[in-house]
Amino acid sequence: MKNGFPLNFIWPDMLWLLVAVPLLVLAYLWLLARRKKTALRYANLALVKQAMGKSAGWKRHVPPALMLVAIAVLLLAAARPAAVITLPSQQETIVLAMDVSGSMRAADVLPNRLVASQEAAKAFVAELPRSVRVAVVQFAGTAAIVQPPTHSRDDVYAAIDRFQLQRGTATGSGIVLSLATIFPEAGIDLSQITGQKAMPPGPNDKPRPDFTPVEPGSYSSAAIIMLTDGQRTTGPDPVEAAKMAADRGVRVYTVGIGTKEGETIGFEGWSMRVRLDEDALKTVAQITRADYFYAGSAEDLRKVYQGLSTRLVVEKKETEISALFAAFGALLVAAAAALSVAWFGRVA
């Protein structure tokens, strides 16, 4: 159950049991009053005080108070409290989908966009835990897997260094092929990437597994990081590709690099008009419950990847903490019993 408080309860109806706490307080006060009234019947009050012992006074209220607090805490545990806490991430696979279109040669991000993105990506990979597999997908007019998921950082670095610039920008293809890399047995249709018609299944082909959409952002075993400097010129719509990712619970973090407003960039005797499609990148991230980042310089890009590294190593997640409440309640019960034995020689 969601609410505006830091603590949520999965079974909030159980909170009604907390009305027992003030009733127990009233019962305790009633017992004290009754005990006092009984004591006044004795003719010799000094004898009564002697029977009560030297520990009588404020100490006799401490064990019952601890017991009452313990009961309240245990009743809260029965309501199954949950809170957003920081936990180690369960990411097992990260797919780097990187733009290798011709505009990545532009030098507005020094030394140029391609080199800056390569260096930032390699630094990012170096910071990831060794348990995380990394795959690399490059896209321009088409998309291709240049490194399947691997634990070898050297293989990933080599794949990033092998980028070859091409014409076109197919951001949607990069997302779809990244999904196929994460789910190789899911039978994701890649005909929209290759431009070829999907062939009907043959007699020896495995049947395509049934697919049931899940909650966006709920798949915690893999994520996609897509970097691009332009807008889609070919291939599937990146927003539709993002919906495919969202249906599979995969987050697509998008990184925009280069010119926001759009300008003509020239190099090696020819020029081209490029513009960063921030709206599409923001939409892709929003649909998949991820985030969009803009990097206008090599330093910005490095900081973006540093932030992504931290975000993917640890994650904030709403987690049930009933066990913590139950443990705390048990400690309070034990403390109340220990103090009662130490002060009065018995469990009060």
Side-chain angles (χ1 to χ4, degrees):
M1 178 180 178
K2 299 285 185 182
N3 56 45
F5 297 95
L7 200 64
N8 299 312
F9 293 93
I10 300 174
W11 291 350
D13 290 344
M14 298 294 288
L15 293 175
W16 283 104
L17 295 175
L18 288 172
V19 299
V21 175
L23 295 177
L24 289 172
V25 172
L26 292 175
Y28 179 69
L29 294 175
W30 177 78
L31 286 174
L32 288 177
R34 183 183 177 187
R35 183 179 181 183
K36 185 176 181 181
K37 186 181 295 185
T38 302
L40 290 175
R41 295 176 184 173
Y42 288 89
N44 192 341
L45 291 179
L47 183 62
V48 174
K49 291 180 180 180
Q50 184 179 359
M52 293 175 66
K54 294 181 179 180
S55 297
W58 64 270
K59 286 185 178 181
R60 64 193 175 109
H61 301 300
V62 174
L66 289 176
M67 191 64 69
L68 284 170
V69 175
I71 291 171
V73 172
L74 292 172
L75 290 176
L76 287 173
R80 299 182 63 187
V84 177
I85 58 178
T86 300
L87 298 170
S89 174
Q90 298 179 357
Q91 299 288 351
E92 297 175 359
T93 305
I94 302 294
V95 181
L96 296 176
M98 302 185 66
D99 190 342
V100 294
S101 59
S103 57
M104 289 291 286
R105 194 178 301 172
D108 55 341
V109 177
L110 297 176
N112 64 44
R113 295 178 183 178
L114 179 63
V115 172
S117 65
Q118 287 173 313
E119 294 303 318
K122 287 189 289 186
F124 164 75
V125 171
E127 293 296 322
L128 290 174
R130 287 290 171 175
S131 60
V132 176
R133 299 188 306 163
V134 181
V136 183
V137 169
Q138 69 173 32
F139 63 90
T142 59
I145 301 173
V146 293
Q147 177 57 59
T150 179
H151 289 106
S152 171
R153 301 302 185 242
D154 289 337
D155 289 348
V156 174
Y157 301 151
I160 293 173
D161 287 335
R162 288 196 302 267
F163 285 161
Q164 296 292 322
L165 298 180
Q166 304 168 24
R167 293 180 179 273
T169 304
T171 49
S173 296
I175 296 173
V176 174
L177 189 56
S178 296
L179 286 174
T181 303
I182 295 171
F183 304 109
E185 304 296 327
I188 294 175
D189 182 12
L190 298 179
S191 61
Q192 52 187 332
I193 296 177
T194 61
Q196 300 176 351
K197 273 191 172 183
M199 299 294 293
N204 297 323
D205 290 341
K206 292 182 180 180
R208 185 171 296 182
D210 294 334
F211 171 69
T212 302
V214 299
E215 182 181 353
S218 61
Y219 188 74
S220 60
S221 296
I224 299 170
I225 301 175
M226 185 178 73
L227 180 142
T228 181
D229 71 338
Q231 59 188 147
R232 167 211 176 209
T233 60
T234 186
D237 186 343
V239 175
E240 292 302 317
K243 292 177 181 177
M244 289 179 59
D247 287 344
R248 289 163 174 79
V250 177
R251 299 177 190 265
V252 182
Y253 296 90
T254 53
V255 182
I257 181 174
T259 307
K260 285 185 179 183
E261 297 78 13
E263 63 181 45
T264 301
I265 297 177
F267 46 86
E268 296 187 359
W270 62 283
S271 62
M272 62 185 300
R273 179 76 177 177
V274 294
R275 184 182 74 84
L276 179 64
D277 190 356
E278 278 202 300
D279 291 340
L281 295 180
K282 289 177 181 177
T283 301
V284 167
Q286 181 182 13
I287 289 174
T288 62
R289 302 295 190 270
D291 298 294
Y292 165 73
F293 305 90
Y294 173 71
S297 67
E299 179 64 18
D300 289 343
L301 187 58
R302 185 181 65 83
K303 289 180 179 178
V304 165
Y305 273 103
Q306 282 181 340
L308 281 168
S309 178
T310 302
R311 194 171 298 222
L312 293 171
V313 169
V314 296
E315 61 180 347
K316 289 185 176 180
K317 186 177 182 180
E318 187 172 60
T319 305
E320 185 177 346
I321 54 175
S322 303
L324 294 178
F325 276 71
F328 183 54
L331 284 175
L332 290 173
V333 171
L339 289 176
S340 183
V341 169
W343 289 341
F344 310 111
R346 68 183 189 281
V347 177

